[in-house]
Amino acid sequence: MPNRTFQTSSWKQNNQNKKYKIAHRRLVVTHHVATSPTKQKAPKNKNTNHNFFIALLLNKKFLKFTGLAALVGLIGFIILVLVVNSGLPNPNQLINREVAQSTKIYDRTGQNLLYEISGDQKRTLVKISDLPNYVKQATISVEDKDFYKHGGISVWAMIRTMITNIIFRRSAGGSTLTQQFVKNAILSNEKTFTRKLKEIILAIRIEQKFSKDEILQMYLNEIPYGSNAYGVEAAAQKYFKKQAKDLTIAEAAVLAALPQAPSRYSPYGPNKQLLLDRQKYILGLMAEQGYITKDQADTAKKEVIKFAPPDSNMIAPHFIMYIKDQLAEKYGEQAIEQGGLKIITTLDLYKQKIAEEVITQKTENYKTKYNASNAALVSIDPKTGQILAMVGSRDYFDDSIDGQVNIATSLRQPGSSIKPLVYATLFGKGYTPNTILFDVNTNFSNNGTPYEPHDYDLKERGPVSIRTALAGSLNIPAVKALYLAGVKNVTDLAAKFGYTTLTNPDRYGLSLVLGGGEVKMLEHVNAFGVFAREGEYHQVASILRVEDKDGKVLEEYKDQKDMVLDPKIAEEVNSILTDNAARTPIFGAKNFLTLPDRLVAAKTGTTNDFKDAWTMGFTPSLVTGVWVGNNSSVSMKKGSDGSIVAAPIWNEYMKRVLVGTPVEAFKDPGDLTTGKAVIDGESNVNRKVLINTQTNTIATSSTPPELTKEVIYTNPHCILYYVNKDDPLGPKPSDPSIDPQFPLWESAVLTWAQKNNIYASSSKLVIGDSAPTNPPQFDITGVADKDIIKDSKLNIGVNITSIADNANVEYYINNNLTYKTSVFPFTMNKTLNFLSNGYYNLKVKVCDASYNCTEKSLEFNLLLDNNYQNTPALNLISPSSGTIASASDFPLNIQLATNNYEKVTKVDLFYKDASGVNPIKSLTSVTDKIITLSWDSSPGPGTYEVYAEYYDWNNNKKTSNSITLNVN
């Protein structure tokens, strides 16, 4: 077969992609084209074009459009065709190939090269006669089933595409195989009318000059298959390490599936299953069009496809493939593989390496210990939404665990890690972390099919606060929270948080709160950034800048943010997720959800079948999620929950990457009192009450002692007894049974009460929403007025004899709040060796749910043998004096250190400038030797002196050192 050489011509215009301008440096490319090929006949297919044409003629929008534009359009079109046609080449001189240049992908510094998409094109020319028929037929069946019938273009396909794109606003392809050859080998991918017109004219002229098999041979030698493999022979070598003539039917269908979108369908990217699904679709087409039998197609569909290993020179391979997929969608395959782009990504290489190391080390024995073969980690800067680290699997190059599948962009069930979103929605309706929900076995279905979820330990805890329920990840209260919040409201908020998969509330039902809806890990992690930034959402970002080969900036990162949540609601959620004491009953005091040097917020999640285990956690500047499981969705061993398998990875990563970074504080949500008892934490279970025996009502201060009696008051009801779920702070429902869930919840509460020998008291004793207006009555126990205290540990309590038994109790020494509690029996155990010997005032304050309060005071004399006399000192340690800060650095953390924090009762932070002294922040409870106070807002440009004043237990005031801060 003779060689036919196509020389570079001067006719090719400067084709310009909308976002990328291609350089025009030409090379000569030689093609082997058969001179006398045997024409193939395609199987006969039923022609349905006449039906489409009739539908088109009846379409009013089309008739109106063509009627108005016919005359002007026809004249203009003829002129345009003549102009374009005059500049087209002789079909004997077709292919102009630009000099390919490498695209380089860097980390966020722009200095560390992560991956180079080589500009060296891998191309081996092949004769069409050397290919098995099914290799050609696989491509024809999916790309152009009428290839052997048309003359280069399909009018009907183009009209159908126009109607679909313009009228029905859906994208559809209308190019023949010949047109695709012209587009990929001769023209650019830009979507303009003139380029399309050139494509059509060239396709017709090529069909007039060459035979069908010559065109098909040129197509199969030119088409890009991804990863710089051009032509079917190079693709066969790239993906299967074999020649194209040795491909199986199944492998041929795989290669035919790639050209439509090589990056999207890459077997080395996150969408491998999409490629295999498309392969099966093509096999079906081949059978339908008569190229192979149904049995051959079925056999090929069952064939296990073994791909050659991917390139092993990638750093952060899952992230690279994620970036490559985005670039291909924006700029086209040709631009990213030949255009010499420079990509500056958001990746923090330091954090990425730590993430990879931690996952490798921590999961070394997970397969045998937990039957967990895979793990993934995503870390994001919540202030910007920028991805700092992405590990999509334990080992990208391990096919035994489907290592190329990127869990960060895959769909997985989040388990209980979705609960903060549900409770945030609930808080938005007026509920608070103190609100009481009964943790008792409940059937939530009234349609005959039971739905009765249980807590992981199968226990019932009775009345619990939302704080306890969320911190302890209790399932039954969570389902109730979802019902109260509303499934649709939760999915609406999820959309604002950036979730794109939680779009069908009717499908999930109440199981959504236990992970019934699938999410993408990348979106899940970024959603927790909304809590970290107190309600501010930042769109996920992975690219900081894209430059062309000449250094021209094609795109640059712009922060896309929106306020999607009330800051106070975020603060309420954060106050729970940072509360280690609240999670201690379930997770223990020492767990992997805390860090030694700073407060962090964290939430675990586990699916009921142990297929997915999660830990999500954050500081105000870093949010990280970890997933553990199997790509195949095989269950891990029972008990492999998020706190066991995912939390150790999360903890180690966070601990290492946060070393040496400033400690940041979470804002306190402040007073959460609403004035409604059940919302504020009242449960009406086992309360000690003084009653008037004559009236059977609450005793008052004027009730004679002989008429008072202490009783245990219990009147348990579910929350729906007290509130309208959609108006929780409104009036009590006149008929709670109107709510369809009320009978189910109420009966479950009563069953629990009976099972635990808890009986309702006399109905004449009315409490609940009608809180007593009389102040609480109590006595201080454990110490008397004027007592001499020689024991270093002070153990005191209160004996409450009124309805306020479940309210807040606060203990003050010399008017400094020392301890507060709302948990029975309200005792304070406090070591006093931080106090100097001498007289002290002790004040106890008891408040009921309506904030009726009573105070009592006494005096005690502290007389310890080994009294600790060290005088407290306080020093500013960060930032250092002379630091220069900008407005974007605020909130700015100010750190102080004390040698004896127990003797410090209050810290006031100030800054001083020419206008005088101004307060920054105060702290009235010092619990650590390192104190962090947040300077929330920039004072404006200038130089400021920053210092603190602090007080000891005797109210002596002292002043710390000062630093100079320059703000520009």
Side-chain angles (χ1 to χ4, degrees), residues 534 567 570-572 574-575 620 665-670 891 921 934 936-937:
E534 295 176 351
E571 292 163 8
E572 290 179 56
N574 294 343
S575 74
F666 291 90
K667 288 185 180 179
D668 191 312
K921 192 66 70 72
S934 175
D936 294 333
S937 302

Side-chain angles (χ1 to χ4, degrees), residues 126-198:
V126 63
K127 298 177 182 179
I128 195 168
S129 58
D130 293 337
L131 296 174
N133 283 336
Y134 53 74
V135 172
K136 299 172 283 186
Q137 293 160 350
T139 293
I140 291 171
S141 68
V142 69
E143 296 294 351
D144 187 0
K145 67 182 178 65
D146 295 323
F147 174 65
Y148 284 97
K149 296 179 181 179
H150 60 66
I153 63 172
S154 173
V155 176
W156 293 112
M158 288 190 291
I159 294 176
R160 183 177 63 249
T161 300
M162 179 182 68
I163 300 301
T164 305
N165 290 355
I166 297 177
I167 298 180
F168 299 105
R169 300 186 180 276
R170 289 201 308 269
S171 178
S175 297
T176 65
L177 188 145
T178 310
Q179 288 175 268
Q180 292 179 51
F181 165 68
V182 171
K183 180 177 67 175
N184 285 283
I186 303 171
L187 303 177
S188 70
N189 282 319
E190 63 174 332
K191 296 181 179 180
T192 63
F193 179 76
T194 54
R195 189 210 61 79
K196 189 68 176 178
L197 188 57
K198 292 177 187 177

Side-chain angles (χ1 to χ4, degrees), residues 68-115:
L68 294 174
L71 182 60
V72 176
L74 180 60
I75 295 172
F77 180 73
I78 292 173
I79 295 173
L80 180 61
V81 168
L82 292 174
V83 172
V84 171
N85 187 55
S86 64
L88 290 177
N90 186 309
N92 281 312
Q93 296 175 310
L94 289 178
I95 300 170
N96 292 318
R97 181 70 56 199
E98 276 114 27
V99 176
Q101 298 186 45
S102 300
T103 287
K104 297 180 180 180
I105 301 176
Y106 294 86
D107 72 344
R108 67 187 300 108
T109 67
Q111 302 299 316
N112 298 307
L113 181 64
L114 302 177
Y115 184 62

Side-chain angles (χ1 to χ4, degrees), residues 424-681:
T425 310
L426 190 65
F427 294 158
K429 297 178 75 171
Y431 299 86
T432 76
N434 300 323
T435 299
I436 296 296
L437 299 173
F438 271 84
D439 180 28
V440 296
N441 293 334
T442 306
N443 171 27
F444 292 92
S445 174
N446 48 23
N447 63 6
T449 303
Y451 176 59
E452 191 172 346
H454 297 279
D455 295 338
Y456 81 101
D457 57 3
L458 303 180
K459 293 181 179 179
E460 296 178 286
R461 292 170 176 80
V464 297
S465 68
I466 283 178
R467 177 176 296 277
T468 298
L470 176 54
S473 200
L474 303 179
N475 289 336
I476 298 171
V479 176
K480 293 182 176 180
L482 177 57
Y483 176 74
L484 296 172
V487 179
K488 179 65 164 56
N489 294 330
V490 173
T491 57
D492 287 347
L493 185 62
K496 295 179 181 179
F497 272 49
Y499 291 99
T500 60
T501 58
L502 300 177
T503 57
N504 191 349
D506 294 334
R507 181 170 71 87
Y508 314 127
L510 295 179
S511 68
L512 176 64
V513 73
L514 304 183
E518 293 179 324
V519 301
K520 294 180 180 179
M521 184 181 186
L522 189 58
E523 295 175 352
H524 196 33
V525 174
N526 195 50
F528 273 77
V530 176
F531 297 122
R533 299 313 304 166
E534 295 176 351
E536 191 172 73
Y537 167 78
H538 295 259
Q539 186 171 310
V540 173
S542 57
I543 296 174
L544 294 179
R545 190 168 68 256
V546 177
E547 300 175 3
D548 69 9
K549 67 179 185 60
D550 299 318
K552 178 183 177 182
V553 177
L554 303 180
E555 69 171 90
E556 199 160 15
Y557 164 78
K558 291 182 180 179
D559 188 10
Q560 299 184 49
K561 61 183 180 179
D562 192 16
M563 204 69 186
V564 298
L565 188 68
D566 186 321
K568 185 172 182 180
I569 294 174
E571 292 163 8
E572 290 179 56
V573 173
N574 294 343
S575 74
I576 299 174
L577 299 185
T578 57
D579 192 342
N580 195 51
R583 73 168 71 98
T584 293
I586 304 298
F587 296 95
K590 294 183 178 180
N591 54 67
F592 288 108
L593 305 179
T594 62
L595 295 181
D597 64 336
R598 69 192 69 214
L599 198 63
V600 289
K603 181 71 187 76
T604 62
T606 314
T607 53
N608 290 335
D609 46 19
F610 295 102
K611 291 182 179 179
D612 302 273
W614 301 78
T615 294
M616 316 293 291
F618 55 90
T619 68
S621 290
L622 185 67
V623 56
T624 301
V626 173
W627 170 91
V628 174
N630 296 295
N631 282 26
S632 61
S633 291
V634 171
S635 296
M636 295 177 286
K637 290 182 180 178
K638 189 176 181 180
S640 301
D641 61 54
S643 66
I644 301 297
V645 297
I649 300 171
W650 176 87
N651 183 276
E652 182 66 16
Y653 170 81
M654 293 289 281
K655 195 160 46 179
R656 288 179 61 178
V657 300
L658 289 173
V659 167
T661 63
V663 176
E664 297 175 282
F666 291 90
K667 288 185 180 179
D668 191 312
D671 183 20
L672 301 176
T673 305
T674 67
K676 190 156 187 173
V678 70
I679 301 297
D680 291 340

